[in-house]
Amino acid sequence: MDGVKGPGGNVKRPGKQAERSRRTREKIVAAARDLFVAQGYGATSLQEVADRAGVAVQTVYFVFRNKRALFKDVVDTSIAGDAEPVATMDRDWFRAACAEPTAAGQLRAHVRGVRDMLGRVAPIVPLIAAAAATDPEIAAQWPADADPRYTVQHAAATALTSKPDARPDVDTTRAADLLYGLLSPELYLIFVRDRGWSPDAWEEWASAALTADLCTGD
């Protein structure tokens, strides 16, 4: 049976309302992201977000409660690429990269996955710092002493340094530091936004640089 009959014999399809709610949430997040990037967190009002998303401002308040919660959702979905509550290290692309039999193969797959993520998240990283500087509650959401990006890169380095073609003189901490530094959103923005490199050119450079530092070439 596809659904249950409601008053008047109409068939109610489970999940239809949930799908509408999901689409509304996605529209609001996309609108907020565009506005935050274009004019900053502090200068963007929820009314502007609502107007851009084509919904009532009351809908924005109903879904997110306040601008801080909306901003966190923008950051989280930019990192993940979707609204699913799946950590980066549990994502298919990350697991597949770590499962590559060689360090060189893992690096190629890892840099490709990080490139996709940075294309989404790098433009909003400066916004996090700016917003945190003026809003203690936002600062508390991203404490400076606990960078989850390093945790991800350390996990990748742990897998990489166990591969047969990993350089034996580079330990896991050193490998994690190199991944963390070279694949940082700040460096990505310098090359792609400031210097006009294409994402393809950045990926090729990052992959070659890391392979030279972390792999034996055998």
Side-chain angles (χ1 to χ4, degrees):
M1 184 178 292
D2 291 333
V4 244
K5 286 189 178 180
N10 294 326
V11 175
K12 294 182 178 179
R13 298 189 180 277
K16 208 168 183 180
Q17 179 60 44
E19 177 62 18
R20 281 198 297 269
S21 298
R22 183 189 64 78
R23 288 199 301 266
T24 297
R25 187 183 189 95
E26 287 178 350
K27 284 197 302 183
I28 295 170
V29 170
R33 176 190 163 83
D34 290 345
L35 288 168
F36 289 152
V37 170
Q39 57 193 39
Y41 171 79
T44 299
S45 70
L46 291 185
Q47 182 63 62
E48 289 176 302
V49 173
D51 291 343
R52 191 178 186 95
V55 301
V57 71
Q58 291 86 350
T59 301
V60 179
Y61 280 108
F62 177 78
V63 175
F64 292 100
R65 301 186 314 281
N66 55 53
K67 190 164 73 166
R68 291 188 195 96
L70 173 57
F71 183 65
K72 186 174 189 309
D73 208 276
V74 167
V75 175
D76 289 347
T77 54
S78 294
I79 292 171
D82 55 47
E84 297 300 316
V86 180
T88 299
M89 289 185 291
D90 293 326
R91 294 269 164 177
D92 289 343
W93 73 266
F94 185 87
R95 288 178 175 273
C98 289
E100 286 284 337
T102 65
Q106 180 185 340
L107 279 173
R108 285 191 298 271
H110 185 72
V111 172
R112 167 57 60 89
V114 172
R115 167 201 162 165
D116 292 341
M117 182 188 298
L118 288 177
R120 299 185 302 266
V121 77
I124 66 172
V125 166
L127 303 180
I128 298 174
T134 59
D135 190 327
E137 291 189 38
I138 288 181
Q141 292 177 341
W142 290 284
D145 60 346
D147 191 338
R149 195 170 63 79
Y150 183 81
T151 302
V152 170
Q153 301 298 4
H154 192 276
T158 300
L160 188 143
T161 51
S162 69
K163 305 290 170 65
D165 59 328
R167 281 183 52 176
D169 58 329
V170 178
D171 63 16
T172 298
T173 299
R174 174 80 172 183
D177 289 348
L178 288 168
L179 292 172
Y180 181 74
L182 268 68
L183 303 182
S184 68
E186 294 83 3
L187 200 55
Y188 178 88
L189 287 175
I190 287 173
F191 284 113
V192 175
R193 182 194 64 189
D194 299 344
R195 301 308 310 155
W197 285 29
S198 70
D200 284 344
W202 175 87
E203 180 184 343
E204 183 179 350
W205 166 79
S207 185
L210 287 166
T211 299
D213 281 341
L214 298 175
C215 300
T216 60
D218 297 337

